[in-house]
Amino acid sequence: MRAHPASASASARASVPAGERPAAREAILLVGGKGTRLRPLTVHTPKPMIPAAGVPFLTHQLARARAAGVEHVVLATSYLAEVFEPHFGDGSALGLHLEYVTETDPLGTGGAIRNVAHRLHSAPGEPVLVLNGDILTGLDIRALVATHRDTGADISLHLTRVEDPRAFGLVPTDAAGRVTAFLEKPQTPEEIVTDQINAGCYVFTRSVIDTIPSGRPVSVEREVFPDLLATGAHLQGMVDSTYWLDLGTPQAFVRGSADLVTGRAPSPAVPGRRGEYLVLPGAQVAADAKLSGGTCVSAGAVIGSGARVDGSTVLAGAVVEPDAVVKNSLVGARAHIGGRTVLDSVVVGDGAHIGPDNELRHGVRVWCDARIDGGAIRFSSDQ
Ligand code: GTP
C-alpha cells in the first residue's frame, strides 16, 4: 500500500464554498461476489440481479444513487458478469451512464475498486461513492458525502449500530467520528468495544483509490482500510441508524424484498404502490387467495385458490397450487409448489417441483430443479 496523498483531500475541502453540499457524481458498485450464502438463488443469477419487490435488487441501489445526485456508475462485475449489461444497458432508462468492468479472476472488494479506477472521470480531490451490491439501506447518501467534504477525510464510511455485534467486524470512532481501529469479530465480551459496524457504503477521495494495490485480490475491509489507518490516513465514520439490511442470506433477502413492498425500506424503484402485497402485470392470483406481509408475485406466476402467501417472494413463472401456505419464503422462477404444501422460511430454487401435502420449515433450501414427491416430506432443519 502506498502512502495516501493527504494534500488531495485538504485542497478539495478548501475548494468547496461554505454551505454548498454537492453530491458525488460518480459511483462504483461492487457486484462481482459469488453470493455463496444465498445459494441456490445465486446458482443461475448473481445476487444483485435477484428480483426484490419485482425488479433486480441492483435497480433499487442504482435508483437511490441517482436520487442522491450520482450520474456515472461503474459496475465491477465478475461472477455471472454477462447478465448485467443486457438488462441495464447504458443506464439511460434510470437516468444514469453505466459502464461495466469485468474481472476474469475475482479481485476482492478492494481489488475491484482499484480495477475500475481508469473509468472514473473525477478529479483527484473529488468524492467517489462506493456501494456493496447487497445492502438495502435508507442511508442519507448526500449526508455521507457532505461529512466527507466537511471533515476532509480520505475515506468516509457509513456505520450502522447493531444489537448483537458479535457476528461483525467493529469500527470504533473517536468523539469527532474519526475511525480509530478496524477490529475483527469480537470473541469475548471485553472485545465488544462498540456496536458500530461497517455498513458497506463508502466515499473515497478519488486519488485514494490509486493507492490500492493493483492486479491482485485485495479486501477493502481487511487490507485497504486497516493499512490506510496505519499510515495516518483520515477515515471518517458516519453513524446513520436508519433502515439497514445486508441481503446476503436467504432470510434477509426475503425480508428485504417484503420491506420494500410494504414501504418499510425506501426505494424509488418499486414498480407499484407500497402495501401488503405487490402483484406484477402478467401474474394470476385467485380471487380467494390471500397475499400479505409484503408478498411480491412476479410476472407469469400463478397463485391458486385458497392459497396463503405471507412475507414471501414468488418469482416469474412459479406456481403455488390451491390451499398451499407460503410464509417468509422465496419461490424461485418456474418452481412449483403443490396443493396444501406448507413452506415456512424456505428457499425453493429455480425450476424445483414440490408435490402436494409436504411441509418444509426453517431454513430448508430446495436446490434448483429438485423434485419432492407429494406427501414425501415433513422437514424442519432446526428440529
Ligand atoms: P458470499 O459469498 O455469500 O459471502 O457473498 P459475496 O460473494 O457477495 O461476498 P460479500 O457479501 O462479502 O461481498 C460484498 C460485496 O462485494 C457484494 O456486493 C459482492 O458482490 C462484492 N464482491 C465481493 N467479492 C468481489 C470480487 O471479487 N469482485 C467484485 N467485483 N465484487 C465483489
Side-chain angles (χ1 to χ4, degrees):
M1 177 81 56
R2 298 200 302 274
H4 66 286
S7 58
S9 48
S11 62
R13 193 173 19 160
S15 68
V16 178
E20 193 179 306
R21 295 282 162 95
R25 297 233 162 75
E26 293 192 291
I28 299 169
L29 255 150
L30 300 174
V31 293
K34 289 203 170 86
T36 46
R37 289 167 296 157
L38 261 181
R39 284 184 192 154
L41 297 177
T42 46
V43 171
H44 304 303
T45 312
K47 180 162 51 175
M49 293 300 288
I50 302 171
V55 293
F57 175 66
L58 182 55
T59 320
H60 300 292
Q61 287 185 306
L62 291 172
R64 294 202 75 246
R66 180 72 197 98
V70 171
E71 294 162 4
H72 177 213
V73 177
V74 186
L75 294 179
T77 65
S78 177
Y79 177 67
L80 298 176
E82 64 282 4
V83 304
F84 292 92
E85 193 164 0
H87 185 89
F88 290 107
D90 65 1
S92 48
L94 289 164
L96 286 165
H97 171 213
L98 288 187
E99 287 189 79
Y100 306 81
V101 177
T102 300
E103 299 143 41
T104 343
D105 293 315
L107 288 171
T109 45
I113 296 169
R114 178 69 180 83
N115 191 49
V116 306
H118 63 288
R119 296 292 186 93
L120 299 170
H121 310 302
S122 300
E126 286 187 325
V128 175
L129 186 67
V130 178
L131 299 171
N132 275 3
D134 52 1
I135 301 295
L136 179 58
T137 176
L139 168 72
D140 181 345
I141 294 173
R142 281 183 191 269
L144 184 66
V145 177
T147 296
H148 186 75
R149 293 209 189 244
D150 294 349
T151 60
D154 296 296
I155 300 176
S156 299
L157 296 86
H158 172 209
L159 306 178
T160 190
R161 294 188 202 282
V162 289
E163 265 176 38
D164 182 1
R166 282 175 302 179
F168 302 93
L170 306 183
V171 188
T173 47
D174 67 13
R178 196 163 167 154
V179 175
T180 54
F182 289 91
L183 305 173
E184 294 291 329
K185 287 177 191 167
Q187 305 294 322
T188 62
E190 295 74 46
E191 287 175 1
I192 304 179
V193 297
T194 178
D195 58 358
Q196 296 171 183
I197 65 158
N198 172 1
C201 173
Y202 324 110
V203 177
F204 277 65
T205 295
R206 164 69 188 87
S207 57
V208 174
I209 293 176
D210 293 332
T211 69
I212 300 173
S214 62
R216 67 164 173 88
V218 183
S219 159
V220 80
E221 303 87 347
R222 284 189 294 280
E223 190 174 342
V224 175
F225 294 157
D227 284 4
L228 279 169
L229 205 57
T231 61
H234 179 170
L235 281 82
Q236 184 73 22
M238 191 190 85
V239 179
D240 181 327
S241 296
T242 50
Y243 185 97
W244 182 84
L245 193 61
D246 172 350
L247 302 193
T249 63
Q251 286 321 309
F253 197 93
V254 168
R255 199 167 97 221
S257 177
D259 286 346
L260 282 162
V261 171
T262 59
R264 205 171 152 249
S267 167
V270 175
R273 273 234 312 269
R274 307 299 187 87
E276 278 294 290
Y277 57 83
L278 178 64
V279 176
L280 292 176
Q284 291 174 48
V285 178
D288 62 348
K290 186 163 186 319
L291 308 181
S292 57
T295 286
C296 180
V297 184
S298 292
V302 178
I303 310 292
S305 169
R308 282 182 289 143
V309 188
D310 179 38
S312 296
T313 298
V314 181
L315 295 185
V319 175
V320 176
E321 294 276 12
D323 299 317
V325 177
V326 179
K327 190 170 180 218
N328 299 336
S329 295
L330 196 146
V331 179
R334 303 173 315 283
H336 188 107
I337 311 303
R340 300 170 302 283
T341 279
V342 175
L343 304 181
D344 186 350
S345 307
V346 168
V347 172
V348 180
D350 295 344
H353 184 107
I354 303 180
D357 301 306
N358 286 295
E359 187 174 320
L360 289 86
R361 293 188 187 270
H362 300 293
V364 169
R365 301 177 190 211
V366 179
W367 212 252
C368 301
D369 301 313
R371 194 176 175 90
I372 297 174
D373 292 333
I377 196 160
R378 287 190 182 267
F379 184 81
S380 165
S381 71
D382 60 0
Q383 282 175 5

